[in-house]
Amino acid sequence: MSSKPEEEEEEEEEEDPIITTFSRHQRNQTLLQIPPKLPHFDHFLQSFFSKTHPFSCLSSRSTGDYISQMATSWDGSYDPGSQSDDSHHFERLHIEPLYDAFVCPLTKKVMLDPVTLENGQTFEREAIEKWFKKCRESGRKLVCPLTLKELKSTDLNPSIALRNTIEEWTTRNEAAQLDMARRSLNMSSSENDVLLSLKFIRHICQKSRSNKHVVRNADLIPMIVDMLKSSSRKVRCRALETLLVVVEEDEDNKAILAEGDTVRTIVKFLSHEQSKEREEAVSLLYELSKSEAVCEKIGSINGAILILVGMTSSKSENVLTVEKADKTLENLEKFENNVRQMAENGRLQPLLTQILEGTPETKQSMAAYLGELVLNNDVKVYVAKTIGESLINLMKSGNMQSREAALKALNQISSFEASSKVLIEAGILPPLVKDLFTVGANQLPMRLKEVSATILSNVVNSGYDVDSIPIGPDHQTLLSEDNVHNLLHLISNTGPPIECKLLQVLVGLTSSQTTALNVVAAIKSSGATISLVQFIEVPQQDLRMACIKLLQNLSPYMGQELADALRGTVGQLSSLIRVISENTGISEEQAAAAGLLAELPERDLGLTRQMLDEGAFQFIISRVVKIRQGETRGTRFVTPFLEGLVRVLARVTFVLSDEPDAVALCREYNLAALFIELLQANGLDNVQMVSASALENLSQESKTLTRLPELPPPGLCASIFPCFSKQAVITGLCRVHQGTCSLKESFCLLEGQAVHKLVALLDHTNAKVVEAALAALSTLLDDGVAIEQGVFVLCDAEAIKPILDVLLEKQTENLRRRAVWVVERLLRTEDIAYEVSGDQNVSTALVDAFHHADYRTRQIAERALKHVDKIPNFSGIFPNMG
C-alpha cells in the first residue's frame, strides 16, 4: 500500500481514533461490494485476501478454509442479543475481516448502537446502560468498565460514524454470505450445507425486514422452494420454516411464492405422515392466507380446504396445528368460492354467517348453494335453528331469485322431521301456504310451486300439530275446510309433480284420526272422491303411490264410498290388483295398496265378487305362500304387505253363504289349511287375528258343507216288524258335525287339527288375537252342531282352563261377552259344571257379568249360573227367551 503524506497523518492524530481508523481504511481500501450473483466468487476472495491489509486477520487463510469455517459459523444463532457460543462464533467469522473496534468490550459482539463515554471508550448502548444500572444498584462509583476510572458524567454520545461503518461492513459481509448460501441451495449440495444455508437466510430475514427484499431480489425464493422437493425430510422442514420467515409480513414475497405450483406443493405437505412437515406447512399457509390474492389461490387447489377442515376436527393433531388450520380457514372466508367449499366439506358456519350478515346478493347466492348441498340430519336441525328465520324472510321478499334460492334451501332443510318442526316454529307455514294459493301477478312459477308443495309436504309429515298454527284470517288453519278445498282444487288443476306433493300433504294431514276427520269432511263436501280415486291409474309411480297412501288413510272413515268408487267400470280396482301382483320385490306402494283393499268393507259382496272375477285372490294367495316360504324377505315392507294380503284374502270367507265361487276358491286352494298355518305366524298379531277370524267364518260353513251319511232303506221284515230291525251303524263320521268332513272340502277344524293351535292363542298377550281364537273355537259349540261332542273335543284339547282364564281376566268387553257365551255352553255338561261350581273365581266372574254386562250377555250369564246352582231354576229374573 502507498504511504500517506505526513501532514495528513498529523491531522488524523487529532481525530477520534476509531473514526480515524475506519476513515483510513475507507481511503486505502475499496469497500467490498459483492453482487448477489458473482460468477467467480472464489477467485475474487483469493485476490482480495492476498493483498496486504492493515486490519486483515484472514489474509493468510485460503479461501477454501475460510468458507468451511464460515459455514461452521452458520450453524450457530446469528442473534447479536443471544449469548449462545454458536452465535458468538458465527459473529466473529466474516468474509471481510472483523475489526476489534466493531466489538463491544462488554458483550464481545459486534455493536448495533455504539455510544462513546467522556473518556473516549466505546460500548454497545444497552450493555453500558446495564453496567451503570448495576453500579447504582450496588452503591459503587460510576467507573469505566475498561479503565475502572471514575466518570464525571454518564452521558452517552452516539458514535454515528462507527455505527454507519458497522452497518456498511455488515451489509457487505451479509451480501457475500448470502451469495455463498445461494450457491449451496441445489440438489447436488450436501444436506448439511443446504440446512446451514437455509438457516442463514432465515436468520438475516429475522434480523431485518429489509433483508427480505434482498432475498427476493437475489431470486432466492424459487431456490428455497426447490428444496421442498428434496429427499431429505430435514431439508424439507427447514425450507418450510425458512419460507415462513421470508414471506412473513411481506406482500411482495408472498406474491412471488404464490407463483406457479408452489402453493399446491405446500398443500401436499398437509397430508404427509410426518407431523413436523404438516405443522410447518400449516403455519406457512396461515401466513400466506393473510394475503387476499393468495387466499383465492389456496382455495382453488383441489383438496386444500377439505384437508384443512379435516385438521380442525382432528383429535390427533397438535393443538397449535389445529389452531393454525382454523385461522387459515377464517382468512379464506373472504372469498365466496372458498366458503362454498368449506360448506361442502362440513364447515357450514361461514356460509350460514354470510346468509345472516351478507349483502342481499350474497344471501341469495349462499342460500342457493345451501339448497344444493347434501346435509345429514343433525346438521339440518342446526341449520334450521341458525338461519331458518332468515331463509323464511328471504322467501317472503319481492325478489323472485331470492325467493327461489330460499325455497330450495328450505326444501333441503325440511326433509328431516326434527328440522321441519324447527321451521314450523320459525313461522314457515303462513308464507308457504300463501305462495301455493296465490294467483296473479306475484304468483310463483309452477316449478317453484312444486318446491313449495314439497316443503309443505315435509313439514306436514313431520308429526307437528299443524292444526294449531293459524295461517289466515279468523284463525284459519291448514285443516280448515276452505284450505283443504284449495288443496283439492290445486290437485285437480296442476301437473303431476305438484299433484304428487300435494297428495303427500293430504297423506300427512290424514295420518292421525283427529286431523283425518277434517280432511274426510272436506272431501265429501267437495265431491272429490272420484277424482282422487282416478289417480290410481296414472303411469307416474310416485303420484300413484301418494294417491294409494292417501286412500289407505281415508279408508277407515269412508270405506264404503271408496268401495263404491272402485267398483266402477273405469278400472281403478284392476290397477290396484295389478300393483299388488307385481313380482318385483315388495315396495311401499304394494304395501299401501294391500292396506287400502284390506280396509274396505269386508262384507261388500259386490266388491268381493268383482275381485273374484278379476282373479285377484289367486294373485294374493301366490304372494302369501311365497312370503311364508321365505322366497321374499328382508325388505322393510314385508310385514305390512303380508298383513294387508291376509286381510284381503280373508274377505272371501265373509261371503261363503252368498257366493258359490268363493266356496269353490277356498276348496281349490285349500284356504283353510293356509289360514291354519298362518296361526303360527308368531310376532305378527294382525296375521294371527285375521287368520283366526277367517277360520271362524270357514268353520261356520262346515255344518252346511259336511256330507251327511245316507242310511240304507229298511228291509220288508223291518218295515212290518220294526221291533226286529237294528239301526245301521256308520263309522268315520265327524264327532261335531255328524257327517263326513274334511279340511279342504268342508273346512272342518277337527280334520285340520286346528283346535290345538287355536287353544294356544288363548294365552296371547293381544286381546284381539285371543278374541278371534275364542270365536273360532266357539263354532264347535254353535247351534246346529253336536254341542256336547264339541265340549269333549275342547276337553281333549285341554281348552277348558284357558277358556275359564279368559273369562276371569276380562281384558275387554267383547272378550268377556264371547267368554261368557262359551263358558255357558261348556257348563251344559254336568261333569264340567260340577268341577266349575267349586271355583269361586269363575262364579264371581259370572255374577259380575250378570250384574254389569249388556242385556244379552246377562241372560247368558244367568243360564251359566243356573248350571252351577248359583241361581235356582225357578228364579226367572229374565223372560224366557227360548
Side-chain angles (χ1 to χ4, degrees):
M1 295 178 65
S2 60
S3 61
K4 290 182 283 187
E6 294 181 2
E7 297 83 21
E8 190 173 331
E9 291 181 3
E10 290 175 0
E11 291 176 2
E12 291 173 353
E13 289 176 0
E14 297 175 359
E15 296 174 351
D16 185 288
I18 297 176
I19 298 176
T20 302
T21 299
F22 288 101
S23 298
R24 181 182 301 135
H25 174 67
Q26 288 174 330
R27 287 195 298 269
N28 293 336
Q29 174 67 38
T30 302
L31 293 178
L32 184 58
Q33 299 289 346
I34 299 178
K37 298 179 180 178
L38 190 60
H40 305 295
F41 183 61
D42 291 345
H43 175 72
F44 173 83
L45 286 177
Q46 286 180 329
S47 171
F48 175 77
F49 287 116
S50 63
K51 299 176 183 178
T52 303
H53 198 287
F55 300 98
S56 175
C57 62
L58 299 171
S59 59
S60 62
R61 187 178 301 151
S62 69
T63 303
D65 292 341
Y66 170 73
I67 293 174
S68 176
Q69 190 168 355
M70 188 184 72
T72 304
S73 75
W74 291 345
D75 193 38
S77 170
Y78 191 69
D79 180 3
S82 171
Q83 298 300 316
S84 70
D85 292 338
D86 286 344
S87 65
H88 180 66
H89 181 63
F90 169 78
E91 194 177 43
R92 293 184 301 159
L93 296 176
H94 308 280
I95 292 174
E96 185 176 347
L98 174 61
Y99 307 104
D100 291 340
F102 291 0
V103 179
C104 173
L106 290 175
T107 64
K108 308 303 181 184
K109 298 184 182 302
V110 176
M111 291 181 285
L112 298 177
D113 186 11
V115 292
T116 304
L117 303 180
E118 64 180 24
N119 63 359
Q121 299 296 333
T122 303
F123 301 90
E124 177 70 57
R125 179 186 294 274
E126 184 180 357
I128 192 63
E129 286 177 345
K130 286 182 178 179
W131 170 266
F132 288 155
K133 182 179 179 182
K134 288 182 179 179
C135 288
R136 293 188 185 96
E137 290 175 351
S138 62
R140 293 181 296 172
K141 295 180 179 180
L142 296 178
V143 297
C144 172
L146 286 182
T147 63
L148 298 181
K149 292 182 179 180
E150 186 174 355
L151 297 172
K152 296 178 181 178
S153 170
T154 58
D155 292 342
L156 303 177
N157 300 312
S159 185
I160 298 174
L162 177 58
R163 185 176 64 190
N164 292 340
T165 303
I166 291 174
E167 289 176 354
E168 293 173 0
W169 172 86
T170 301
T171 301
R172 290 194 300 273
N173 276 285
E174 286 181 349
Q177 292 168 335
L178 194 61
D179 187 76
M180 296 179 68
R182 188 176 187 281
R183 292 173 178 274
S184 297
L185 289 179
N186 57 72
M187 295 300 181
S188 62
S189 298
S190 68
E191 179 188 84
N192 192 52
D193 285 347
V194 175
L195 290 173
L196 292 173
S197 296
L198 291 172
K199 190 168 187 178
F200 174 72
I201 295 171
R202 185 179 59 176
H203 157 70
I204 63 169
C205 289
Q206 289 173 328
K207 181 179 177 183
S208 169
R209 289 189 61 180
S210 62
N211 285 338
K212 296 183 181 183
H213 304 166
V214 174
V215 169
R216 179 176 68 249
N217 294 334
D219 289 337
L220 281 170
I221 294 177
M223 300 181 72
I224 301 171
V225 169
D226 286 341
M227 294 301 102
L228 296 177
K229 302 172 185 177
S230 171
S231 59
S232 166
R233 183 176 64 84
K234 289 183 179 179
V235 170
R236 295 194 301 268
C237 283
R238 185 68 59 83
L240 289 168
E241 293 173 2
T242 305
L243 287 173
L244 173 60
V245 175
V246 168
V247 302
E248 199 166 18
E249 298 181 0
D250 193 308
E251 291 296 316
D252 293 333
N253 285 1
K254 288 175 184 173
I256 292 175
L257 185 59
E259 294 175 355
D261 284 342
T262 303
V263 178
R264 186 185 304 276
T265 302
I266 297 169
V267 169
K268 289 181 180 178
F269 281 99
L270 297 180
S271 57
H272 277 213
E273 293 183 2
Q274 293 295 334
S275 60
K276 179 64 176 174
E277 289 175 288
R278 286 201 307 275
E279 292 169 11
E280 296 297 340
V282 170
S283 297
L284 179 53
L285 279 178
Y286 168 55
E287 183 61 35
L288 291 173
S289 69
K290 295 176 183 178
S291 167
E292 289 194 11
V294 185
C295 268
E296 195 167 14
K297 183 147 192 175
I298 294 173
S300 68
I301 296 171
N302 185 34
I305 289 178
L306 171 62
I307 298 173
L308 286 168
V309 170
M311 294 178 78
T312 60
S313 58
S314 173
K315 295 182 180 179
S316 60
E317 291 286 354
N318 181 285
V319 175
L320 293 177
T321 301
V322 172
E323 183 180 344
K324 286 286 178 64
D326 190 65
K327 289 182 177 179
T328 303
L329 289 169
E330 289 178 5
N331 290 337
L332 297 182
E333 292 172 12
K334 299 181 183 77
F335 292 88
E336 287 189 13
N337 284 337
N338 294 344
V339 172
R340 290 188 180 94
Q341 283 194 64
M342 292 178 201
E344 184 180 352
N345 292 299
R347 188 180 174 95
L348 268 178
Q349 190 56 53
L351 183 141
L352 303 183
T353 302
Q354 295 276 22
I355 293 175
L356 289 171
E357 303 173 1
T359 64
E361 293 77 12
T362 299
K363 289 182 178 181
Q364 175 188 315
S365 172
M366 293 294 107
Y369 188 72
L370 179 61
E372 298 173 6
L373 294 176
V374 177
L375 308 175
N376 65 44
N377 290 336
D378 290 340
V379 173
K380 290 175 185 175
V381 175
Y382 172 74
V383 172
K385 290 179 178 178
T386 306
I387 62 166
E389 189 173 346
S390 296
L391 289 174
I392 293 169
N393 291 333
L394 195 62
M395 181 184 74
K396 295 188 290 187
S397 69
N399 184 296
M400 190 60 68
Q401 290 181 327
S402 296
R403 293 170 72 183
E404 179 174 1
L407 283 170
K408 290 182 177 178
L410 289 167
N411 183 30
Q412 170 69 256
I413 301 168
S414 66
S415 57
F416 179 53
E417 290 182 1
S419 53
S420 281
K421 292 177 180 178
V422 174
L423 293 176
I424 293 173
E425 293 173 353
I428 195 174
L429 266 181
L432 199 59
V433 174
K434 181 181 178 182
D435 278 348
L436 272 174
F437 294 164
T438 297
V439 294
N442 201 34
Q443 72 173 355
L444 289 175
M446 279 301 171
R447 60 185 177 83
L448 293 186
K449 284 203 173 188
E450 179 185 346
V451 181
S452 296
T454 304
I455 299 170
L456 184 59
S457 170
N458 290 339
V459 298
V460 167
N461 284 281
S462 67
Y464 197 97
D465 180 17
V466 295
D467 197 30
S468 64
I469 307 294
I471 61 171
D474 302 323
H475 303 287
Q476 282 191 343
T477 69
L478 189 58
L479 284 161
S480 298
E481 189 173 30
D482 288 345
N483 287 325
V484 178
H485 284 169
N486 286 335
L487 288 173
L488 294 170
H489 177 75
L490 279 174
I491 290 172
S492 301
N493 294 278
T494 54
I498 300 181
E499 291 169 344
C500 176
K501 300 304 178 183
L502 294 177
L503 284 172
Q504 290 174 358
V505 171
L506 293 179
V507 170
L509 294 177
T510 55
S511 295
S512 69
Q513 181 177 358
T514 54
T515 56
L517 293 174
N518 296 69
V519 178
V520 169
I523 291 174
K524 288 181 177 180
S525 64
S526 64
T529 306
I530 298 297
S531 61
L532 290 175
V533 170
Q534 288 175 350
F535 283 107
I536 294 175
E537 293 185 280
V538 298
Q540 295 88 354
Q541 192 269 340
D542 55 346
L543 178 56
R544 187 175 64 240
M545 181 173 72
C547 166
I548 293 173
K549 290 174 69 176
L550 172 60
L551 297 178
Q552 181 188 11
N553 288 351
L554 295 173
S555 57
Y557 313 104
M558 49 188 301
Q560 194 58 59
E561 291 90 338
L562 295 178
D564 293 342
L566 288 171
R567 275 202 311 270
T569 58
V570 183
Q572 286 90 352
L573 182 60
S574 300
S575 298
L576 267 183
I577 295 170
R578 195 160 48 246
V579 169
I580 293 174
S581 61
E582 288 177 356
N583 195 16
T584 55
I586 299 175
S587 65
E588 184 180 9
E589 182 185 17
Q590 289 179 306
L596 168 58
L597 284 176
E599 288 289 349
L600 299 179
E602 53 200 12
R603 297 185 184 276
D604 189 313
L605 180 60
L607 184 62
T608 303
R609 182 172 290 144
Q610 189 170 340
M611 292 177 68
L612 283 167
D613 293 340
E614 296 190 13
F617 295 109
Q618 288 88 332
F619 287 123
I620 293 171
I621 293 168
S622 174
R623 294 308 300 269
V624 171
V625 170
K626 287 182 179 180
I627 292 173
R628 292 300 294 168
Q629 290 177 345
E631 295 182 23
T632 307
R633 61 174 63 185
T635 68
R636 51 187 292 211
F637 302 110
V638 168
T639 297
F641 186 51
L642 178 60
E643 289 177 348
L645 291 179
V646 174
R647 289 182 65 188
V648 176
L649 186 58
R651 72 178 295 120
V652 78
T653 67
F654 286 88
V655 297
L656 293 173
S657 58
D658 301 312
E659 185 55 60
D661 288 345
V663 176
L665 178 78
C666 293
R667 285 173 169 173
E668 180 180 356
Y669 290 93
N670 199 6
L671 286 192
L674 178 59
F675 285 121
I676 291 172
E677 191 272 331
L678 289 170
L679 290 177
Q680 298 174 290
N682 295 326
L684 300 177
D685 292 7
N686 289 336
V687 171
Q688 291 176 309
M689 177 186 68
V690 173
S691 298
S693 296
L695 288 172
E696 177 194 3
N697 295 337
L698 290 167
S699 183
Q700 289 280 9
E701 297 301 312
S702 294
K703 53 191 174 186
T704 60
L705 295 177
T706 188
R707 192 158 46 87
L708 298 177
E710 294 183 7
L711 297 175
L716 179 62
C717 183
S719 61
I720 297 173
F721 303 103
C723 61
F724 293 104
S725 66
K726 181 181 293 185
Q727 188 173 357
V729 178
I730 302 175
T731 60
L733 298 180
C734 174
R735 296 166 60 186
V736 176
H737 301 115
Q738 303 294 300
T740 303
C741 284
S742 71
L743 178 64
K744 184 175 182 180
E745 296 296 325
S746 63
F747 319 134
C748 179
L749 297 182
L750 274 68
E751 294 297 324
Q753 299 179 345
V755 177
H756 284 85
K757 295 181 177 66
L758 289 168
V759 171
L761 291 180
L762 295 179
D763 193 36
H764 203 285
T765 55
N766 188 326
K768 291 184 177 180
V769 175
V770 175
E771 183 180 345
L774 188 59
L777 291 171
S778 68
T779 60
L780 302 178
L781 306 175
D782 208 354
D783 295 336
V785 302
I787 296 176
E788 188 174 6
Q789 290 299 317
V791 172
F792 293 153
V793 168
L794 293 177
C795 287
D796 293 343
E798 300 181 349
I800 306 303
K801 184 178 184 307
I803 292 172
L804 294 175
D805 289 341
V806 171
L807 173 66
L808 297 177
E809 290 173 4
K810 297 182 295 185
Q811 295 183 50
T812 66
E813 191 60 36
N814 285 340
L815 196 51
R816 178 166 74 170
R817 185 183 304 114
R818 179 73 67 177
V820 169
W821 187 92
V822 173
V823 168
E824 190 276 329
R825 297 276 166 142
L826 294 175
L827 294 178
R828 292 181 185 183
T829 302
E830 290 185 3
D831 291 344
I832 296 177
Y834 177 77
E835 291 290 335
V836 169
S837 63
D839 191 332
Q840 188 60 41
N841 291 329
V842 174
S843 299
T844 301
L846 290 171
V847 170
D848 184 68
F850 175 66
H851 287 149
H852 302 105
D854 60 80
Y855 180 77
R856 177 62 180 161
T857 304
R858 289 164 65 189
Q859 286 183 309
I860 299 171
E862 180 193 12
R863 291 202 295 270
L865 288 169
K866 287 179 179 179
H867 295 323
V868 292
D869 295 330
K870 297 299 180 182
I871 295 179
N873 283 330
F874 54 82
S875 62
I877 295 178
F878 295 101
N880 188 1
M881 302 299 294

